[in-house]
Amino acid sequence: MATWALSSADRISEISKKSLVFLVLSFCSWFAAEQMWNLYEHVLFVDPYPSIADLFYIIAPIFMFISLVIFLKPLRDHIKKKHIAFAIIVSTSILIPILAITFQANIETEFFEIAVALIYPIVDAILLIPAIISIILSFKINKNSFWTLILIGIVSFIIADNLYLILVIDDAYFDGHPIDILWLISYVAWSFAMYKLIQNSKRNKPEKYQNNDEPVTAKNIATYGINLVLVLIIVTTIAVLFALNYFWSIEQSGNFMMFFSLVLITLLVVFSSIIVILNSKLTNALDTKNVKIDNLTNELIKSERLSAIGELAARLSHDLRNPLSVIKSSVEISLIRNKESLSPKDHESIQRINNAIQRMTNQIEDVLDYVKTTELQKKRMSIKSCLTNIVNELQSNKINIKMPDNDLTVLADEGKLEIVFSNLIKNAMDAIGDNPGTIEIKSHDEEKDIVIDVIDSGSGISEYDMNKIFEPLYTTKQTGTGLGLVSCKNIIEQHGGKISVKNNPTTFTITLPK
């Protein structure tokens, strides 16, 4: 189960991948130690202490200690010195008497045996320190059921280990002793923790890609075909081993053959499970890739459609530009020639014509700015000077535009940035409307970037619009094209920068590399 959980680490949020790796290593070490111990004691009839099994028993708590430390690292701001001191005091108060008893009981044995016997309570005491800190934190911050089960298992295991040492010294331990229940509690708690982790990972599976029946059929064959073959291999192996044990005639090797058969079947099941898990993981990875490919395909189709629309819009805009210029010039000439003879109502009509022409011109310019992708003509330019030119053209009596105090320079295309700043300031003025208001422009220098903020006192942007504001053809204005902010984003990204927006107050932030 631990290996299965590790294969789903990318979809697990309760524990980091690195912490999970060390947790699984600790479980595997304990599993290996138990198998080695049983081999020595019940099959080979050899005293398993000290042996290679002790190495696995000792490194398992160390792996779990590392896993707990990694888990606690993001919570270090919540850990106080008194928590650490309390954990060390409790751990030491348990360790010292256990060490004294163990040393006294093994004083006549060889140095290596004494060292191994003393290492057991030491590694348990080391593991107990982060375990106690985690228990303290679990009462102060949000409880995590996964780690609660892990900590229950750790505490139960350490208690069982220390009691076992005392019982062995008094020669009072036997198989089936009541303290075995504590080890059983540990394994059950850890098993439930891993099961919960696996179940949570299943909820985060990517949406399955099912474009047609053929890929689904191929996937089913790959998944169930591999599983069926593995089942046939396991059944065949078990049948062969059963036959060997049934017809085995050498009594001295009977126990060894039985143990060998059980170990072989166990390993076969374990490795088959790993293959099934890896196959499942690869299938899920393939599903994820297919979903990404499907999304990219849809985006490509959308971009091709937008490109075709853009080219058509560019041609129409170009064709409309010249007639509009003629209309505008004709209106202005007519106004000059008949200035004295025109009534106030005629002047009002001519003004409406000029406003309509100006709106159409602005929309045409938005379309052309979005469609044309000319190379940047970069040079060292002044941000304040660029803004001053735009503000002088857009100055309003009701709206106060505050310029930045500092004058920063950046390597950029001044003409392109003028389009960006003009769009942002016009949008800010539209957001304020006919009410008095303020537009404040700030700039500051970071390590590698220049940051410009355009802040307005308007009503703000809704959350729904905030997510769509940089999408092509999306606009909240009756006379807008939905291309102004998209053009701004394209220009800024062409410079290697980025643009973002936030509310309270409405702030557009531009970041440009120096």
Side-chain angles (χ1 to χ4, degrees):
M1 289 180 76
T3 310
W4 189 354
L6 184 60
S7 70
S8 306
D10 295 333
R11 300 194 302 274
I12 291 171
S13 58
E14 290 86 348
I15 180 173
S16 68
K17 190 172 184 179
K18 193 181 290 185
S19 182
L20 182 60
V21 167
F22 283 103
L23 195 63
V24 172
L25 284 174
S26 67
F27 293 151
C28 292
S29 298
W30 268 312
F31 176 78
E34 292 288 346
Q35 302 312 309
M36 294 279 186
W37 193 276
N38 287 327
L39 173 63
Y40 280 113
E41 189 171 28
H42 299 295
V43 178
L44 302 177
F45 301 106
V46 176
D47 184 6
Y49 177 79
S51 66
I52 191 69
D54 292 292
L55 174 64
F56 287 107
Y57 274 127
I58 290 167
I59 63 173
I62 295 171
F63 284 138
M64 189 161 278
F65 169 82
I66 296 170
S67 178
L68 273 177
V69 169
I70 295 169
F71 162 68
L72 290 171
K73 193 175 180 181
L75 304 173
R76 56 183 176 272
D77 293 337
H78 299 277
I79 301 171
K80 297 179 180 178
K81 290 181 180 178
K82 64 180 181 181
H83 297 157
I84 300 171
F86 176 75
I88 292 172
I89 290 168
V90 172
S91 180
T92 307
S93 63
I94 296 171
L95 174 64
I96 291 172
I98 296 292
L99 282 178
I101 294 168
T102 306
F103 182 78
Q104 190 67 31
N106 292 277
I107 197 167
E108 295 180 0
T109 58
E110 295 181 4
F111 173 77
F112 181 71
E113 291 186 17
I114 296 175
V116 172
L118 294 176
I119 288 173
Y120 273 99
I122 290 171
V123 293
D124 281 349
I126 291 170
L127 174 59
L128 189 60
I129 294 171
I132 292 171
I133 294 170
S134 300
I135 292 168
I136 293 170
L137 291 181
S138 69
F139 291 104
K140 296 194 171 186
I141 58 177
N142 292 334
K143 291 181 176 63
N144 186 323
S145 57
F146 167 77
W147 281 107
T148 301
L149 289 168
I150 294 295
L151 291 171
I152 289 171
I154 290 172
V155 172
S156 179
F157 202 94
I158 290 172
I159 294 170
D161 261 5
N162 289 322
L163 290 176
Y164 172 76
L165 282 173
I166 295 169
L167 289 170
V168 166
I169 289 167
D170 294 336
D171 201 21
Y173 178 78
F174 53 86
D175 285 342
H177 193 279
I179 69 159
D180 289 345
I181 295 172
L182 292 173
W183 278 312
L184 185 61
I185 290 170
S186 299
Y187 293 137
V188 170
W190 290 336
S191 297
F192 271 109
M194 290 296 114
Y195 174 77
K196 182 175 177 60
L197 213 58
I198 292 164
Q199 291 302 310
N200 289 345
S201 71
K202 288 180 179 179
R203 297 192 192 105
N204 299 324
K205 278 187 177 181
E207 185 183 347
K208 299 296 181 184
Y209 174 78
Q210 294 187 353
N211 194 28
N212 51 48
D213 294 336
E214 192 174 339
V216 177
T217 306
K219 188 183 76 174
N220 289 339
I221 292 170
T223 304
Y224 298 114
I226 290 172
N227 295 345
L228 183 61
V229 170
L230 288 173
V231 169
L232 288 173
I233 291 171
I234 292 170
V235 170
T236 305
T237 306
I238 291 172
V240 170
L241 290 173
F242 178 78
L244 286 172
N245 278 280
Y246 186 79
F247 294 111
W248 196 264
S249 58
I250 305 173
E251 293 182 3
Q252 293 178 348
S253 304
N255 287 334
F256 178 77
M257 187 61 196
M258 179 63 72
F259 179 78
F260 173 76
S261 301
L262 292 174
V263 169
L264 185 60
I265 291 169
T266 303
L267 291 174
L268 193 60
V269 170
V270 168
F271 285 116
S272 298
S273 301
I274 291 170
I275 291 170
V276 171
I277 291 165
L278 290 175
N279 180 56
S280 174
K281 188 172 178 63
L282 288 171
T283 304
N284 289 332
L286 184 61
D287 289 339
T288 305
K289 293 293 182 186
N290 284 334
V291 169
K292 288 181 179 178
I293 290 168
D294 193 28
N295 292 336
L296 288 171
T297 303
N298 291 333
E299 286 179 11
L300 182 61
I301 292 168
K302 185 179 177 181
S303 65
E304 285 178 351
R305 286 175 180 171
L306 284 172
S307 178
I309 292 168
E311 289 179 9
L312 178 61
R315 285 200 295 271
L316 288 172
S317 299
H318 188 269
D319 292 341
L320 287 171
R321 214 173 188 180
N322 291 334
L324 277 175
S325 299
V326 172
I327 294 169
K328 188 176 181 181
S329 300
S330 300
V331 170
E332 288 175 353
I333 292 168
S334 178
L335 184 62
I336 293 168
R337 286 179 178 175
N338 305 296
K339 188 175 183 180
E340 295 179 358
S341 61
L342 292 172
S343 65
K345 191 174 261 188
D346 293 332
H347 278 285
E348 190 179 328
S349 298
I350 290 171
Q351 188 58 46
R352 282 202 301 270
I353 292 169
N354 279 328
N355 291 340
I357 292 169
Q358 190 59 47
R359 282 198 301 272
M360 291 179 70
T361 303
N362 290 338
Q363 290 179 353
I364 288 168
E365 285 175 355
D366 282 348
V367 172
L368 292 174
D369 288 338
Y370 173 70
V371 172
K372 63 185 178 184
T373 52
T374 56
E375 288 188 10
L376 298 177
Q377 303 296 323
K378 287 188 178 182
K379 63 178 182 180
R380 184 61 59 180
M381 55 160 285
S382 163
I383 297 291
K384 192 170 185 177
S385 174
C386 180
L387 287 167
T388 303
N389 295 335
I390 297 159
V391 170
N392 289 339
E393 294 177 7
L394 302 174
Q395 197 63 258
S396 170
N397 294 328
K398 290 185 178 181
I399 298 173
N400 179 28
I401 302 177
K402 295 180 180 179
M403 297 290 287
D405 297 328
N406 51 355
D407 188 10
L408 302 177
T409 60
V410 66
L411 187 65
D413 187 325
E414 188 167 357
K416 295 276 190 181
L417 287 191
E418 281 185 0
I419 294 170
V420 174
F421 293 139
S422 177
N423 259 301
L424 294 181
I425 294 170
K426 282 179 183 176
N427 285 348
M429 293 174 79
D430 290 341
I432 295 168
D434 296 330
N435 303 316
T438 304
I439 298 172
E440 186 177 5
I441 305 169
K442 295 180 179 179
S443 62
H444 64 271
D445 190 353
E446 293 189 348
E447 188 177 346
K448 295 181 180 179
D449 302 313
I450 298 291
V451 179
I452 303 114
D453 293 323
V454 180
I455 308 163
D456 69 68
S457 59
S459 57
I461 305 168
S462 69
E463 287 298 322
Y464 178 78
D465 293 331
M466 189 82 75
N467 296 326
K468 292 179 170 286
I469 203 166
F470 291 110
E471 289 184 9
L473 306 178
Y474 183 80
T475 181
T476 56
K477 302 176 187 177
Q478 290 182 350
T479 58
T481 59
L483 297 173
L485 285 175
V486 183
S487 299
C488 293
K489 187 172 184 287
N490 289 345
I491 290 169
I492 296 302
E493 288 178 350
Q494 202 176 354
H495 280 81
K498 56 185 179 181
I499 183 170
S500 59
V501 62
K502 63 180 181 181
N503 266 328
N504 300 321
T506 306
T507 305
F508 281 86
T509 301
I510 296 170
T511 305
L512 290 169
K514 292 181 182 178

